[in-house]
Amino acid sequence: MTHRIAILGASGYTGAELVRLVATHPTMQIVALSADRKAGMAMAEVFPHLAHLDLPVLQKIEDVDFAQVDLAFLALPHGVSHALVREIPDRVKIVDLSADFRLRDADAYRKWYGLEHGAMDIQPSVAFGIPEFYRAEIARARITANSGCYVATSLLPLVPLLAAGAIGAEDIVIDAKSGVSGAGRGLSEAMLFSEANEGFKSYGVAHHRHMGELDQELSKAAGQPVLAAFTPHLVPMTRGMQATIYAAGDADAARKVLAERYADEPFVQVLAAGQVPQTQHVKGSNLNRIAVFADRRPGRLIILSVLDNLMKGASGQALQCANIMLGETETAGLTLAPLFP
Ligand SMILES: NC(=O)c1ccc[n+]([C@@H]2O[C@H](COP(=O)([O-])OP(=O)(O)OC[C@H]3O[C@@H](n4cnc5c(N)ncnc54)[C@H](OP(=O)(O)O)[C@@H]3O)[C@@H](O)[C@H]2O)c1
């Protein structure tokens, strides 16, 4: 059976990554692609690296014929999806890459995104899109809210450790770094080569939108309120993300918890003691690699977690969710080895 796929926001980075993945998926066919300012253009004009593919022309969302669509990826800015979902027929499944359905609380959405949520009545039926934690919910859901990229990087190690009581819920510090593609393709001065290259800076200090998701999911895992410190940084590389996490706990015990928890997971690799994960070793793949080290301060540990922000941090994970929602093999279209060097 072939699933008919629409990718809304296909002229953006996560949309293009979805096109790259879905185009060679064994049971998916791209039937519609949308853009906003670039509507009317061919994908080959917008993304010449995809010119070899036979793809539909980019169209406005309102011109997409959803009668021909089985599943839609929404690779759109936050604030667009919550207004759009009611316009899409109920029979169409949705994987939303934006933040619009990740937060379970309207006040939290207002606090972190500065917007009134237009579809909070739908939110309780939405699955949170990290398959390693919500596989059964994703399989049942009509809508899945793909997690934020920093959130996936942080939660994949932290949730099992908090749930097992292997780290303390107090005093978790997440020091995170992202490549510039994390900001999307939209023009911004801070992302100009001359401003991002050969530099390193923090942003969203003490108030970053992903804190809402982190609070929600870390607290759920711990069974008590968790407020982790979180500071993101911009690194002058195109793809890749690392969270360096400091917490209380025993490193060997924590590594054992993670190794057992992820033994059967295809995309999460827990490294042996002493090995250091690198963004270069996951680039272009759906892999998350995690290492745990003992801090020299007794009773403290250091976790290193890396992934590709456009893959396990966005489009790869979105395809993983879509595979589950459509009853396909979860790894379909996602087994390519990382691109190295
Ligand atoms: N980049 C990442 O690493 C990453 C990781 C995780 C999650 N996300 C999330 O994924 C979503 C997409 O991110 P991105 O990096 O792909 O962004 P992007 O490169 O800026 O692309 C945005 C896409 O949405 C379209 N668009 C913009 N405004 C629109 C509107 N009002 N109505 C309809 N379409 C509109 C754009 O069309 P035009 O090109 O024609 O303007 C473009 O196709 C965001 O919510 C982002 O937070 C991104």
Side-chain angles (χ1 to χ4, degrees):
M1 181 182 175
T2 300
H3 307 286
R4 299 166 300 174
I5 304 296
I7 300 168
L8 309 188
S11 55
Y13 282 158
T14 61
E17 192 74 341
L18 279 164
V19 171
R20 182 174 79 90
L21 297 171
V22 175
T24 54
H25 190 285
T27 58
M28 291 184 180
Q29 182 193 359
I30 297 172
V31 295
L33 299 174
S34 91
D36 186 32
R37 293 164 304 143
K38 299 196 178 87
M41 294 176 72
M43 272 300 269
E45 287 177 85
V46 178
F47 286 115
H49 72 290
L50 299 172
H52 64 294
L53 299 172
D54 184 17
L55 294 168
V57 169
L58 292 161
Q59 56 187 157
K60 285 276 189 186
I61 292 175
E62 51 268 35
D63 295 330
V64 171
D65 180 5
F66 285 103
Q68 303 303 320
V69 174
D70 299 314
L71 182 140
F73 291 101
L74 311 189
L76 302 168
H78 67 266
V80 179
S81 302
H82 71 87
L84 178 66
V85 288
R86 291 193 206 286
E87 310 298 321
I88 299 178
D90 285 349
R91 48 163 288 283
V92 179
K93 295 180 188 257
I94 293 171
V95 181
D96 184 12
L97 281 78
S98 86
D100 276 6
F101 288 97
R102 296 175 194 158
L103 296 171
R104 307 234 173 260
D105 180 51
D107 291 339
Y109 186 75
R110 194 180 303 113
K111 173 179 174 183
W112 294 105
Y113 292 92
L115 296 170
E116 289 303 319
H117 202 290
M120 216 56 202
D121 55 314
I122 296 174
Q123 213 292 330
S125 66
V126 174
F128 193 84
I130 297 188
E132 288 75 7
F133 307 144
Y134 291 104
R135 191 165 275 123
E137 291 85 346
I138 293 167
R140 286 193 299 270
R142 182 203 162 215
I143 303 176
T144 293
N146 216 41
S147 74
C149 44
Y150 281 123
V151 177
T153 318
S154 305
L155 292 185
L156 283 162
L158 285 175
V159 162
L161 294 176
L162 282 170
I167 56 169
E170 310 287 334
D171 199 17
I172 297 172
V173 177
I174 305 170
D175 181 23
K177 289 99 185 165
S178 173
V180 292
S181 64
R185 206 185 198 198
L187 298 178
S188 103
E189 282 180 8
M191 298 302 145
L192 291 173
F193 181 82
S194 49
E195 305 206 11
N197 183 48
E198 293 184 27
F200 180 82
K201 69 170 186 180
S202 316
Y203 63 100
V205 180
H207 190 95
H208 184 279
R209 285 168 172 158
H210 285 179
M211 287 173 177
E213 282 170 68
L214 288 170
D215 295 352
Q216 173 181 291
E217 298 300 314
L218 293 176
S219 301
K220 183 169 177 235
Q224 67 179 83
V226 177
L227 278 184
F230 170 66
T231 308
H233 301 81
L234 185 72
V235 180
M237 60 184 180
T238 302
R239 288 172 184 249
M241 179 160 279
Q242 171 161 333
T244 304
I245 305 171
Y246 306 88
D250 177 77
D252 289 336
R255 192 183 309 105
K256 187 162 180 283
V257 167
L258 291 174
E260 286 174 4
R261 175 65 177 77
Y262 289 125
D264 296 325
E265 288 292 346
F267 298 120
V268 184
Q269 301 177 335
V270 181
L271 303 188
Q275 289 187 357
V276 177
Q278 297 183 37
T279 58
Q280 289 264 41
H281 295 166
V282 294
K283 190 166 68 176
S285 81
N286 201 44
L287 296 173
N288 165 230
R289 305 190 100 200
I290 301 171
V292 185
F293 285 76
D295 195 344
R296 67 194 181 103
R297 297 171 296 168
R300 306 279 308 177
L301 52 75
I302 304 166
I303 301 164
L304 310 176
S305 173
V306 302
L307 50 71
D308 181 332
N309 56 291
L310 290 177
M311 286 293 295
K312 186 64 176 154
S315 308
Q317 180 158 268
L319 180 56
Q320 191 183 348
C321 292
N323 282 333
I324 296 168
M325 294 166 81
L326 295 170
E328 292 295 333
T329 305
E330 189 172 323
T331 54
L334 291 168
T335 51
L336 268 180
L339 183 67
F340 183 87

